Amino acid sequence: MKRILAISYYTFRQNVRNRVYYVLFIFTLIMVFVSMLLSVLGGEQPMRILLDFGLVSIEFFALLIAIFTSVTTITEEVESKTIYLILIKPIPRWYYILGRYTGILLSVWTSMLLMYAFHFLMLTLQGWHPGPDYLYAVISSSLKIAIISAVAIFFSVFSTSTASSLVFSVFIWIAGHFSTEINFLTGKMEFLPAKYSVKILYYVIPNLQYFNWRDFLSTGVSFFRWMPVAVVYAVAYIGVFMCLSSVLFEKKEV
Amino acid sequence: MKIKIVHVLLCVFALTVATSSFILDGLFTYPYSKANADITALSGPARKLPVEKYLLFDITGIVLGVRRLTANMAWIHVLQYYGSADLSDSEKKQPEETRGHHNHKHGSLYGAGKYYDLLKFCQRVVRLDPFFHYVYLYGSASMAWNLERPDEGLSLLQEGIENYPSTRPDYWQLHLFKLAIIYKKLDRYADMVSHLESAVQQPGRPVMVVAILANIYKKTQNYERALALWHDIYNTGDADYREYAAQQIQFLETVTE
Amino acid sequence: MTDIMEKNSIAIKSAIKIETLTKIYRRSHLGRLHTTTGVKNLSLEVKTGEIFGLVGLNGSGKTTTIKLILGLLFPTDGKITVFGNPMPDRKKLHLIGYLPELPYFHKKFTGKELLVFYSKLSGMDRGLIPGRIQEIAGLLEMVPYMDKRISDYSKGMMQRLAIAQSLVHDPPLLVFDELVSGLDPLGIREMRTLVQKLKERGKTVFFSSHLISEVERVCDRVGILHGGSLVRVVEQTDWQRTNLEDIFISEVKK
């Protein structure tokens, strides 16, 4: 356990110093830009727009950091050979996978937290009254990011090219949001083999709509209706991908 | 092949995913499913999108899970179309008489023209996000009083009355606006004004509605009430209305003195 | 009974024992399978306490052999034991210290941070780590550099840090891939004394190089690899009569 934590902390340090700061900087710029744009446009409902722009861009930037670091982490380490120095230590290989994953997640979550704090501050300064909805949006976005990072780690072990793992991960992200529509489609299909294969696809791809709370803010649905089960779902889903990655990585030659 | 702990774990996790998926299928309903039937229905007599030009944009937004943001962009588009400062500037340069059909006295800030697409653009917003309460009020009031097309305003309100959750505390405002517009159509000014009066008392009311009411009072020579409303508008600090409100206040103060 | 004891003592006498080792790389490209032979039918024994050099041209299979010993690659055929333990076995990796060819470290860390990290991964007792790092830094004369970032390190310092990393958990067997490549004459000389010191402390050193003159100076025995096969093992007495370079050239040109 301590050794997994050591890898996790090492990954965290590596990422935080490298990429995260740039992204945070760009996020801040965008938020300031959007709020300036809004004051020029003089739009009605500026708070809503600022809220949504913030929540979406935080998630988007977190997605960028998560996917890029997850996908490049193994290939980059193989190329620079730093991975050898970890793999020749007397540790099981799945320590590496789990350590990397938790380290990446930790750095992405930290950057998200910073962005949320900035965003929250900006909204309150403009006289917005926060409700629990904001917290729910933060929680669900973080889970979404946790899932997609696990998927991206899996692809990076599975595939030899960074580009293809990147494309696969982005595909899963999009398909994950589209899953409601996929399910809807299966209801309309009459050709059974197609119906069942699409249905299987629906269950294999993570349903990210469960964690899309920031899109349901004013819809009046209850967060607690499905979220406790969705958390179990997320953890198990991540577990599946960690196990798959470990099994594959066990046999990987570097 | 040896069975290892990881294989057992994998099975446990996979089973948990499957079980929770089934449970979630029952617990989770996509909140926009009803609105989706209007937009993405793939079979059956689908209602066409109000603005087909942006269909791809809107669908992309929905698919990427950024529906509210897409609705916001559609809303900004409405505001640009209907209320850009540039247009109102050019309007000010025109001589009073040529404004003709466009009844400046009712309005606040919007460009010259008939804005035939306003209903469609507003419908686009509320079909992306049927919970965007403000759009129903703003859009219907603009169409009914500023553009003198109360029927269009009513049809937008009707969508709100159908799709907006009736359990919400601000639901009745839609009915209030509807009644006010109906009274306007029937030329029952006193009833219309009393409904608008209760509308402007609500916390979420568009400032524009206050301006509309103030202008109605001015027209019916109830200068004192009009002045009070313009003060109210001025005090909201809304930058768009501030200058215009100041002009009105100045004018009304000279009249009331 | 005596038979088993004898077997054990033989096994312990040999630090590394490689028997009929074959590694064939398989890569499929556009559906076509390409195979390259890394090493074929290689048998080799390194005795405990000796300095064994592996020489060969570029691509002769030196790095492949080392990676197979460490379990970074998996053999197609044959077997490897390290101090009598069949490899690959991750639990026994604490017996080996490894220096990769052209080592690289993440630039954002200090030397000390990295050594602490690698020590933790080796499963060292937390309390012992600082003292051990101090000792290794003294041995490698890199004390003033310990708190500097890797980005300020020269190539020689990087190499030292990589060696420090291989020694920190005090393994009985050291595997150095291209120990002296890229070092200046002074650095080469220091490495030579280091290897001698390690031998005095009873360590087994197995290293690869393509610099014959270096190998000649420090090794007890030398194996010549060519085209993935071990073509000859040369004893120190053999090259004291003639010279190693001539032996090497004649073997390679056969």
Side-chain angles (χ1 to χ4, degrees), chain B residues 53-109:
Chain B
K53 206 165 92 179
Y54 304 110
L55 178 67
L56 195 65
F57 182 85
D58 293 348
I59 298 258
T60 311
I62 292 169
V63 165
L64 292 177
V66 289
R67 192 171 187 133
R68 262 174 70 96
L69 189 70
T70 316
N72 289 349
M73 287 176 174
W75 171 239
I76 291 173
H77 179 238
V78 168
L79 292 175
Q80 277 179 326
Y81 174 71
Y82 183 58
S84 94
D86 287 340
L87 277 174
S88 61
D89 282 342
S90 69
E91 181 198 33
K92 277 176 198 154
K93 282 171 203 140
Q94 289 173 21
E96 193 82 17
E97 295 76 25
T98 59
R99 288 181 197 173
H101 58 267
H102 195 219
N103 198 339
H104 172 251
K105 287 186 200 94
H106 279 180
S108 51
L109 291 171

Coordinates of all heavy atoms in Angstrom, one line a residue, chain B residues 53-109:
Chain B
K53 N -31.4 25.6 -39.2 CA -30.1 26.0 -39.5 C -29.1 25.6 -38.4 O -28.0 25.2 -38.6 CB -30.1 27.5 -39.6 CG -29.0 28.1 -40.4 CD -29.3 29.6 -40.8 CE -28.7 30.5 -39.8 NZ -29.0 31.9 -40.1
Y54 N -29.6 25.6 -37.1 CA -28.7 25.3 -36.0 C -28.8 23.9 -35.5 O -28.4 23.5 -34.4 CB -28.9 26.3 -34.9 CG -28.7 27.7 -35.3 CD1 -29.8 28.6 -35.4 CD2 -27.5 28.2 -35.6 CE1 -29.6 29.9 -35.8 CE2 -27.3 29.5 -36.1 CZ -28.4 30.3 -36.1 OH -28.2 31.6 -36.5
L55 N -29.5 23.0 -36.3 CA -29.8 21.7 -35.8 C -28.5 20.9 -35.4 O -28.5 20.4 -34.3 CB -30.6 20.9 -36.9 CG -30.9 19.5 -36.6 CD1 -31.9 19.4 -35.5 CD2 -31.4 18.7 -37.8
L56 N -27.5 21.0 -36.3 CA -26.3 20.2 -36.0 C -25.6 20.7 -34.8 O -25.2 20.0 -33.9 CB -25.4 20.4 -37.2 CG -24.3 19.4 -37.3 CD1 -24.8 18.0 -37.4 CD2 -23.3 19.7 -38.4
F57 N -25.6 22.0 -34.6 CA -25.0 22.7 -33.5 C -25.7 22.2 -32.2 O -25.1 21.8 -31.2 CB -25.1 24.2 -33.6 CG -24.5 25.0 -32.5 CD1 -23.1 25.2 -32.5 CD2 -25.3 25.4 -31.4 CE1 -22.6 26.0 -31.4 CE2 -24.7 26.1 -30.4 CZ -23.4 26.4 -30.4
D58 N -27.0 22.3 -32.2 CA -27.8 21.9 -31.1 C -27.7 20.4 -30.7 O -27.5 20.1 -29.5 CB -29.3 22.2 -31.3 CG -29.5 23.7 -31.4 OD1 -28.6 24.5 -31.1 OD2 -30.6 24.2 -31.8
I59 N -27.7 19.6 -31.7 CA -27.6 18.2 -31.5 C -26.2 17.8 -30.9 O -26.1 17.1 -30.0 CB -27.9 17.3 -32.7 CG1 -29.3 17.6 -33.2 CG2 -27.6 15.9 -32.5 CD1 -30.3 16.5 -33.0
T60 N -25.2 18.5 -31.5 CA -23.9 18.3 -30.9 C -23.8 18.6 -29.5 O -23.2 17.9 -28.7 CB -22.8 19.1 -31.7 OG1 -23.1 18.9 -33.1 CG2 -21.4 18.7 -31.4
G61 N -24.4 19.7 -29.1 CA -24.4 20.1 -27.7 C -25.0 19.1 -26.8 O -24.5 18.8 -25.8
I62 N -26.2 18.6 -27.3 CA -26.9 17.6 -26.5 C -26.1 16.3 -26.3 O -25.9 15.8 -25.3 CB -28.3 17.3 -27.2 CG1 -29.2 18.5 -27.1 CG2 -28.9 16.1 -26.5 CD1 -30.4 18.4 -28.0
V63 N -25.5 15.9 -27.5 CA -24.7 14.6 -27.4 C -23.5 14.8 -26.6 O -23.1 13.8 -25.9 CB -24.3 14.3 -28.9 CG1 -23.3 13.2 -28.9 CG2 -25.6 13.8 -29.6
L64 N -22.9 15.9 -26.5 CA -21.7 16.1 -25.7 C -22.0 16.3 -24.2 O -21.2 16.5 -23.4 CB -20.8 17.2 -26.2 CG -20.2 17.0 -27.6 CD1 -19.4 18.3 -28.0 CD2 -19.2 15.8 -27.5
G65 N -23.3 16.4 -23.9 CA -23.7 16.5 -22.6 C -23.6 18.0 -22.1 O -23.4 18.2 -20.9
V66 N -23.6 18.9 -23.0 CA -23.6 20.3 -22.6 C -24.8 21.1 -23.0 O -24.8 22.1 -23.6 CB -22.3 21.0 -23.1 CG1 -21.1 20.5 -22.4 CG2 -22.1 20.8 -24.6
R67 N -26.0 20.5 -22.7 CA -27.2 21.0 -23.1 C -27.5 22.4 -22.6 O -28.0 23.3 -23.3 CB -28.3 20.0 -22.7 CG -29.6 20.3 -23.3 CD -30.6 19.2 -23.0 NE -31.8 19.4 -23.7 CZ -32.4 18.4 -24.4 NH1 -31.9 17.2 -24.4 NH2 -33.5 18.7 -25.1
R68 N -27.3 22.6 -21.3 CA -27.6 23.9 -20.7 C -26.7 25.0 -21.4 O -27.2 26.1 -21.6 CB -27.3 23.9 -19.2 CG -28.5 23.7 -18.4 CD -28.1 23.5 -16.9 NE -27.7 24.7 -16.3 CZ -28.4 25.6 -15.6 NH1 -29.7 25.3 -15.4 NH2 -28.0 26.7 -15.1
L69 N -25.5 24.6 -21.6 CA -24.6 25.6 -22.3 C -25.1 25.9 -23.7 O -25.0 27.1 -24.1 CB -23.2 25.0 -22.3 CG -22.1 26.0 -22.7 CD1 -21.9 27.1 -21.7 CD2 -20.8 25.3 -23.0
T70 N -25.5 24.9 -24.4 CA -26.0 25.1 -25.7 C -27.3 26.0 -25.7 O -27.4 26.9 -26.5 CB -26.4 23.8 -26.4 OG1 -25.4 22.9 -26.1 CG2 -26.6 23.9 -27.9
A71 N -28.1 25.8 -24.7 CA -29.3 26.6 -24.5 C -28.9 28.1 -24.2 O -29.4 29.0 -24.8 CB -30.2 26.1 -23.4
N72 N -27.8 28.2 -23.4 CA -27.3 29.6 -23.1 C -26.8 30.3 -24.4 O -27.0 31.5 -24.6 CB -26.1 29.5 -22.1 CG -26.6 29.1 -20.8 OD1 -27.8 29.1 -20.5 ND2 -25.7 28.8 -19.9
M73 N -26.1 29.5 -25.2 CA -25.6 30.1 -26.5 C -26.8 30.5 -27.4 O -26.8 31.6 -28.0 CB -24.7 29.1 -27.2 CG -23.4 29.0 -26.5 SD -22.4 27.7 -27.3 CE -20.9 28.0 -26.4
A74 N -27.8 29.7 -27.4 CA -29.0 30.0 -28.2 C -29.7 31.3 -27.6 O -30.2 32.1 -28.4 CB -30.0 28.8 -28.2
W75 N -29.6 31.4 -26.3 CA -30.2 32.5 -25.6 C -29.4 33.8 -25.9 O -30.0 34.9 -26.2 CB -30.2 32.3 -24.1 CG -30.6 33.4 -23.3 CD1 -29.8 34.0 -22.3 CD2 -31.8 34.2 -23.3 NE1 -30.5 35.0 -21.7 CE2 -31.7 35.2 -22.3 CE3 -32.9 34.1 -24.1 CZ2 -32.7 36.1 -22.1 CZ3 -34.0 35.1 -23.9 CH2 -33.8 36.0 -22.9
I76 N -28.1 33.7 -25.9 CA -27.2 34.8 -26.3 C -27.5 35.2 -27.7 O -27.6 36.4 -28.1 CB -25.7 34.5 -26.1 CG1 -25.4 34.3 -24.6 CG2 -24.8 35.5 -26.8 CD1 -24.0 33.8 -24.4
H77 N -27.8 34.2 -28.5 CA -28.1 34.5 -29.9 C -29.4 35.3 -30.0 O -29.5 36.3 -30.8 CB -28.3 33.2 -30.7 CG -28.6 33.3 -32.1 ND1 -29.7 32.8 -32.7 CD2 -28.0 34.0 -33.1 CE1 -29.8 33.1 -33.9 NE2 -28.8 33.9 -34.2
V78 N -30.4 34.9 -29.2 CA -31.7 35.7 -29.2 C -31.4 37.1 -28.8 O -31.9 38.1 -29.4 CB -32.7 35.1 -28.1 CG1 -33.8 36.0 -27.9 CG2 -33.1 33.7 -28.6
L79 N -30.6 37.3 -27.7 CA -30.3 38.6 -27.3 C -29.6 39.5 -28.3 O -29.8 40.6 -28.5 CB -29.4 38.6 -26.0 CG -30.1 38.0 -24.8 CD1 -29.1 37.9 -23.6 CD2 -31.3 38.9 -24.4
Q80 N -28.7 38.8 -29.0 CA -27.9 39.5 -30.1 C -28.9 39.9 -31.2 O -28.8 41.0 -31.7 CB -26.8 38.6 -30.7 CG -25.6 38.7 -29.9 CD -24.5 37.8 -30.5 OE1 -24.9 36.7 -31.0 NE2 -23.3 38.1 -30.4
Y81 N -29.8 39.0 -31.5 CA -30.7 39.2 -32.6 C -31.7 40.4 -32.2 O -32.0 41.3 -33.0 CB -31.5 37.9 -32.9 CG -32.6 38.0 -33.9 CD1 -32.4 38.2 -35.2 CD2 -34.0 38.0 -33.4 CE1 -33.4 38.3 -36.1 CE2 -35.0 38.0 -34.4 CZ -34.7 38.2 -35.7 OH -35.7 38.3 -36.6
Y82 N -32.1 40.3 -31.0 CA -33.2 41.2 -30.6 C -32.8 42.4 -29.9 O -33.5 43.4 -29.8 CB -34.2 40.4 -29.7 CG -35.4 41.2 -29.4 CD1 -36.2 41.8 -30.3 CD2 -35.7 41.4 -28.0 CE1 -37.3 42.5 -30.0 CE2 -36.8 42.2 -27.7 CZ -37.6 42.7 -28.7 OH -38.7 43.5 -28.3
G83 N -31.6 42.4 -29.3 CA -31.4 43.6 -28.5 C -30.0 44.2 -28.6 O -29.5 44.8 -27.6
S84 N -29.4 44.1 -29.7 CA -28.0 44.5 -29.8 C -27.9 46.0 -29.7 O -28.8 46.8 -30.2 CB -27.3 44.0 -31.0 OG -27.3 45.0 -32.0
A85 N -26.9 46.5 -28.9 CA -26.8 47.9 -28.7 C -26.6 48.7 -30.0 O -27.1 49.8 -30.1 CB -25.6 48.1 -27.7
D86 N -25.9 48.1 -30.9 CA -25.6 48.8 -32.2 C -26.9 49.1 -32.9 O -27.1 50.3 -33.4 CB -24.8 47.9 -33.1 CG -23.4 47.8 -32.6 OD1 -22.9 48.7 -31.9 OD2 -22.7 46.8 -33.0
L87 N -27.8 48.2 -32.9 CA -29.1 48.4 -33.6 C -29.8 49.6 -32.9 O -30.4 50.4 -33.6 CB -29.9 47.2 -33.6 CG -29.5 46.2 -34.7 CD1 -30.3 44.9 -34.5 CD2 -29.8 46.8 -36.1
S88 N -29.8 49.5 -31.6 CA -30.6 50.6 -31.0 C -29.9 51.9 -31.2 O -30.6 53.0 -31.2 CB -30.7 50.3 -29.5 OG -29.5 50.2 -28.9
D89 N -28.6 52.0 -31.3 CA -28.0 53.2 -31.6 C -28.4 53.8 -32.9 O -28.7 54.9 -33.1 CB -26.4 53.0 -31.6 CG -25.9 53.0 -30.2 OD1 -26.6 53.4 -29.3 OD2 -24.8 52.5 -30.1
S90 N -28.4 52.8 -33.9 CA -28.8 53.3 -35.3 C -30.3 53.7 -35.3 O -30.7 54.6 -36.0 CB -28.6 52.2 -36.3 OG -29.5 51.1 -36.1
E91 N -31.0 53.1 -34.4 CA -32.4 53.5 -34.3 C -32.6 54.9 -33.8 O -33.4 55.7 -34.3 CB -33.1 52.5 -33.3 CG -34.6 52.8 -33.2 CD -35.2 52.1 -31.9 OE1 -34.4 52.0 -30.9 OE2 -36.3 51.7 -31.9
K92 N -31.7 55.2 -32.8 CA -31.8 56.6 -32.2 C -31.5 57.7 -33.2 O -32.0 58.8 -33.1 CB -30.8 56.7 -31.0 CG -31.4 56.1 -29.8 CD -30.4 56.1 -28.7 CE -30.8 55.2 -27.6 NZ -29.6 54.7 -26.8
K93 N -30.7 57.3 -34.2 CA -30.4 58.3 -35.2 C -31.5 58.6 -36.1 O -31.5 59.6 -36.8 CB -29.1 57.9 -36.0 CG -27.8 58.1 -35.2 CD -26.7 57.4 -35.9 CE -25.5 57.1 -34.9 NZ -24.9 55.8 -35.2
Q94 N -32.4 57.7 -36.2 CA -33.5 57.9 -37.1 C -34.5 58.9 -36.6 O -34.7 59.0 -35.4 CB -34.3 56.6 -37.3 CG -33.5 55.6 -38.1 CD -34.2 54.2 -38.2 OE1 -35.4 54.2 -38.0 NE2 -33.5 53.2 -38.4
P95 N -35.1 59.7 -37.5 CA -36.1 60.6 -37.0 C -37.3 59.9 -36.4 O -37.6 58.8 -36.9 CB -36.5 61.4 -38.3 CG -36.0 60.6 -39.4 CD -34.9 59.8 -38.9
E96 N -37.9 60.5 -35.5 CA -39.0 59.9 -34.7 C -40.1 59.3 -35.6 O -40.5 58.2 -35.4 CB -39.6 61.0 -33.8 CG -40.5 60.4 -32.7 CD -39.8 59.9 -31.5 OE1 -38.6 60.2 -31.4 OE2 -40.4 59.1 -30.7
E97 N -40.5 60.1 -36.7 CA -41.6 59.7 -37.4 C -41.4 58.4 -38.2 O -42.3 57.6 -38.4 CB -42.0 60.8 -38.5 CG -42.5 62.1 -37.8 CD -41.3 62.9 -37.3 OE1 -40.2 62.7 -37.8 OE2 -41.5 63.7 -36.3
T98 N -40.2 58.2 -38.7 CA -39.9 57.0 -39.6 C -40.0 55.7 -38.8 O -39.9 54.7 -39.4 CB -38.6 57.1 -40.3 OG1 -37.6 57.2 -39.3 CG2 -38.5 58.3 -41.2
R99 N -40.1 55.7 -37.5 CA -40.1 54.5 -36.8 C -41.4 53.7 -37.0 O -41.4 52.5 -36.9 CB -39.8 54.7 -35.3 CG -38.4 55.1 -35.1 CD -38.2 55.3 -33.7 NE -36.9 56.0 -33.5 CZ -36.5 56.5 -32.4 NH1 -37.2 56.3 -31.3 NH2 -35.4 57.1 -32.3
G100 N -42.4 54.5 -37.3 CA -43.6 53.9 -37.8 C -44.2 52.8 -36.9 O -44.4 53.0 -35.7
H101 N -44.2 51.7 -37.5 CA -44.9 50.5 -36.9 C -44.2 50.1 -35.6 O -44.8 49.5 -34.7 CB -44.8 49.3 -37.8 CG -43.4 49.0 -38.2 ND1 -42.8 49.5 -39.4 CD2 -42.5 48.2 -37.6 CE1 -41.6 49.0 -39.5 NE2 -41.3 48.3 -38.4
H102 N -42.9 50.5 -35.5 CA -42.2 50.0 -34.3 C -42.4 51.0 -33.2 O -41.9 52.0 -33.1 CB -40.7 49.9 -34.7 CG -40.0 49.1 -33.7 ND1 -38.8 49.4 -33.2 CD2 -40.4 48.0 -33.0 CE1 -38.4 48.5 -32.4 NE2 -39.4 47.7 -32.2
N103 N -43.2 50.5 -32.2 CA -43.6 51.5 -31.2 C -42.6 51.7 -30.2 O -42.5 50.9 -29.2 CB -44.9 51.0 -30.6 CG -45.6 52.1 -29.9 OD1 -45.0 53.1 -29.5 ND2 -46.9 52.0 -29.7
H104 N -41.8 52.7 -30.4 CA -40.7 53.0 -29.5 C -41.1 53.2 -28.1 O -40.4 52.9 -27.1 CB -40.0 54.2 -30.1 CG -38.9 54.7 -29.1 ND1 -39.0 55.9 -28.5 CD2 -37.7 54.2 -28.8 CE1 -37.9 56.1 -27.7 NE2 -37.1 55.0 -27.9
K105 N -42.3 53.8 -27.9 CA -42.7 54.3 -26.6 C -42.9 53.1 -25.6 O -42.7 53.2 -24.4 CB -44.0 55.0 -26.6 CG -43.8 56.4 -27.2 CD -45.1 57.2 -27.1 CE -45.2 58.3 -28.1 NZ -45.8 58.0 -29.4
H106 N -43.2 51.9 -26.2 CA -43.4 50.8 -25.3 C -42.1 50.1 -24.9 O -42.0 49.5 -23.9 CB -44.2 49.7 -26.0 CG -45.6 50.0 -26.0 ND1 -46.6 49.1 -26.5 CD2 -46.3 51.0 -25.4 CE1 -47.8 49.6 -26.3 NE2 -47.6 50.7 -25.7
G107 N -41.1 50.4 -25.7 CA -40.0 49.5 -25.6 C -38.9 50.0 -24.7 O -39.0 50.9 -24.0
S108 N -37.9 49.2 -24.7 CA -36.7 49.6 -24.0 C -35.6 49.7 -25.1 O -35.5 50.6 -25.8 CB -36.4 48.6 -23.0 OG -36.4 47.3 -23.6
L109 N -34.8 48.7 -25.1 CA -33.7 48.7 -26.1 C -33.8 47.5 -27.0 O -33.7 46.4 -26.6 CB -32.3 48.6 -25.3 CG -32.0 49.8 -24.5 CD1 -30.8 49.5 -23.6 CD2 -31.7 51.0 -25.4

